Amino acid sequence: MDRDRETASPGPGRSGVADGAALPGQRAPETASDAGPGVEPGVEPGGSESGGGESGGQGGLWLELLVHGIGGTTPEAMLDDPHLKQMTGDSMSGTYRRWPDQDAEQRVADYSGQAVLEAYSWAKLTSGAASRALWLLLLPFMFANLAHWMRPPGRDAGDTRGRSPYEALVKLVAVSLTVLLTGAACEIALDLAAWQCAADSACVAHHSWLVFALGGHGGWWGQPGRRLVVAALVPVAVLAGLGQLSRMTWSSYEMVRPMDAARPSEEPLEMEADGFWYGVAMVGRLRALHLTAGLLTVAWAVLVPVLAHDRTAGAGVGWVGVVLLVVLVVLGALLLVGLALGDDALPPRVQFWSAAGALVLVSLYGLWSRPGWAAAGMLPGAQRGFAALAAGQTALVLALGAVAWWMTRGQAPAAPGDPSLTIPGPVGARPADSGFGGANGAALRGLGGPVTAMLAIGLGGFFSSGAALFVAQRLAGTRPGPLAAPLLVWHASGVTLLVPALLVIAAVVGGGLVRRAKTLRPQVLSAYGEPSTMDSPRTGSIATALSGARLTESGAALIATLAGVAAVMLLASLVGSLATGQSLKAATHGDGMIVSRLGQTLQSLGGWLTSAMVVGLIGLGRSAYKSAATRRSVGMLWDIGTFWPRAAHPLAPPCYAERAVPDIEARMRSWLGADPQRRLVLSAHSQGTVLAAAALWQLDPATRGRVALLTYGSPLRRLYGRFFPAYMGPDQLGRLLRDVPRWDNLFRLTDPIGGPVRLPGPDTGSGPGSGNSGPDQPPFPDPLAFGRTDAHPILVPINGHSDYRSDPRFIEARNDLLEHLSTT
């Protein structure tokens, strides 16, 4: 198919495309006669995009392996061809080539001066049916898992002090969230339904299902202990569902064994370690321990009220309850010690079955006949249990923050962003722009892990308290009815105050966006050579795109603010519930009309708002599968959250990288291993650059030295390097730069995700990609032209994070990289 080869210059100051620049899919010819009759310059018959120079420079074949980013890009879109051949993989992930290129290895001579294009597709690992939006309900678990990987770096490369206590504390925070989830299910099923509503004839009359399920009209199942045992099936079913879901994803992701091959052995980085992307043992162990914690929570919720009755009534079987209580305490202590120290006194499966056996014994104890026992008030132990859990979570986060601060103590503060970045345009004089990419160094001064852990706890409390209050309100209706544990009511009531807080945050962010766009308008006009007096919508669109791209740098402050709000809500709920022993509505009753009405309003709206937010969250997840724009924004956060292995919480959404990284690594090894003359360009966009870097870290230095890296729209430093500095900080990225023969990084200042990697490079010559500039190339102009030109009679779009490979400057950079490699 012929392509437009128009190269006429649009005139100075109007377009970012130089004379003679190639259009997408072409190589810029030296002269018009460089292309033969009927053949496009730089494109050989067969349809592959060209590279520069001889293929490989040593008679071998070049392969350009494309790795897409977020948004579910299809192989057809990556290769710009509907006729593809799958070369490796299965229905979930694999590599594809254009149909004419499937046997390129048998026709090496036909690809002289070219690189064979091959696309690796991993979109189905993170997409699928819209029902996957329900994974968003596990956000607290995902954030807890992220906190594990946000560990700050040591004072130097070999400093590992603080790592063990940091990881132990994160794992304890993670298991506390499992206990919180199970406790919330127990609160709803055992306290609200089986204990309070089933004992209230008016409540039973309006909810007939309680008659059958919980014996609300008396009979053998009418005793409170027996109702609790029946209701305990609900949290057990929740745990069983989570366990089965974790096991299904475990067998699909973590159990896929990586390729057995040589890996770095001399002082390897953590991400170079053998088995880093093979979490079958780790996730299996943690899943058994977390399910054990959940079963112990259910057993505790059943045992405490039954034992309290027996001790008060002087029942002869009270000693059985005491023995069972001791068993639960011992099993819980073994569990916590094993999680903290990583050394189990009992195998995890033994602990799980021991907890299951203890739950069965507690159930038999609860089923024992206790005539005359009537339920009254709230479930004994519920309020104290939630209060103890909240206090323990607060202490864990404070301890985690202290450890993280100690690990970063004495480190130099983060340097500001590179002041040399400018708004690119066709005019030479460009004002400096130091607001892009954020400061160098770890985000939140290395305290990102504790902040994220607090956010996980806040989200867990938000879901748990909101669900409990909503169910209590539905069971009560317009009549007095069941009351949730005071701490949960206080916490859910505080959600009402979260709404104005979110509105304030949105106003501050939006105001900053508008002010920054206004400040950038003169710079935009100057960069494109337009009169400073021009005031057009086009100027505003470009300035707004530049300003919006800098919102990413506000992410750390936004996370810290939300975590701070979550901490205030948790502490206020803990203090308020312990001080009054009542719900917010009851505590403010009689304190005057204004205070009383305020307390009643906050409590009434809390359950509704929480439910509305959860429904909205699920709706946002569903829309991400239908809207490309929503998928890009939501997908960025989701792909970051599910990139890392489940090292802290096994019930978190699965880690797609445990499939994708070994896939890319194995493809590079197998293709390069078949011929020592072959070379490979790993060409990655967006989140694909993170997968590409992770795969390169798994290669031995000799194989890594045959792979060039081309990244565009990369969040490697802007997001991963800042939030995960112990794994993708400057030292780790610097080693990658040292080992590969060439790394070029392309970005735009209008890109809200990608940016520079800011690595110094050795002085290896002149030209793009060499010298002390490191991998970063000059930012791409975006848009290519300000207004209408001969080359662009219709206004060109502002691409931001998209369509890098269709940008003429990309073709130039790619060809320059291949030409450079062909001479080495």
Side-chain angles (χ1 to χ4, degrees), residues 190 224-226 228-230 232 295-307 310 317 320-329 331 354-368 370 373:
L190 276 69
R226 293 169 178 171
L228 293 177
V229 172
V230 175
L295 292 178
L296 292 177
T297 303
V298 178
W300 184 275
V302 174
L303 176 61
V304 168
V306 178
L307 179 59
D310 286 350
V317 295
V320 177
V322 174
V323 172
L324 291 173
L325 184 65
V326 172
V327 171
L328 295 184
V329 171
L331 289 175
S354 298
L359 178 58
V360 171
L361 293 177
V362 168
S363 299
L364 294 175
Y365 174 63
L367 291 174
W368 193 266
R370 294 171 176 83
W373 183 18

Side-chain angles (χ1 to χ4, degrees), residues 409-471:
R409 183 169 50 90
Q411 294 182 2
D418 185 357
S420 65
L421 284 182
T422 58
I423 297 178
V427 179
R430 303 169 186 169
D433 172 32
S434 60
F436 186 75
N440 296 320
L444 299 173
R445 298 187 178 183
L447 298 179
V451 169
T452 305
M454 186 65 246
L455 189 59
I457 291 173
L459 276 173
F462 168 73
F463 289 159
S464 301
S465 60
L469 182 56
F470 181 79
V471 171

Side-chain angles (χ1 to χ4, degrees), residues 63-83:
L63 180 71
E64 183 177 0
L65 183 60
L66 309 180
V67 185
H68 67 79
I70 61 176
T73 308
T74 64
E76 290 79 7
M78 296 169 70
L79 296 174
D80 193 23
D81 196 319
H83 307 294

Side-chain angles (χ1 to χ4, degrees), residues 507-519 543-551:
V508 171
V509 173
L513 174 68
V514 173
R515 289 192 300 271
R516 191 163 49 244
K518 185 177 181 181
T519 303
T544 300
L546 290 166
S547 177
R550 285 150 186 76
L551 289 178

Side-chain angles (χ1 to χ4, degrees), residues 1-7 22-27 38-44 46-50 78-81 98 117 805-806 811:
M1 179 178 66
D2 291 336
R3 297 180 183 177
D4 182 11
R5 288 183 282 138
E6 177 64 51
T7 58
L23 291 176
Q26 292 183 263
R27 179 183 172 189
V39 179
E40 295 181 79
V43 180
E44 296 290 329
S48 295
E49 294 184 39
S50 86
M78 296 169 70
L79 296 174
D80 193 23
D81 196 319
R98 293 167 177 163
L117 284 179
R805 292 186 64 84
S806 64
I811 306 299

Side-chain angles (χ1 to χ4, degrees), residues 791-805:
H792 304 286
I794 299 177
L795 290 180
V796 292
I798 303 171
N799 288 317
H801 189 61
S802 305
D803 296 328
Y804 271 90
R805 292 186 64 84

Side-chain angles (χ1 to χ4, degrees), residues 695-720:
L696 283 172
W697 272 312
Q698 288 287 292
L699 296 177
D700 58 281
T703 306
R704 194 184 299 169
R706 298 166 60 191
V707 181
L709 183 59
L710 179 61
T711 55
Y712 33 101
S714 172
L716 270 171
R717 194 216 65 87
R718 193 178 184 188
L719 293 176
Y720 282 82

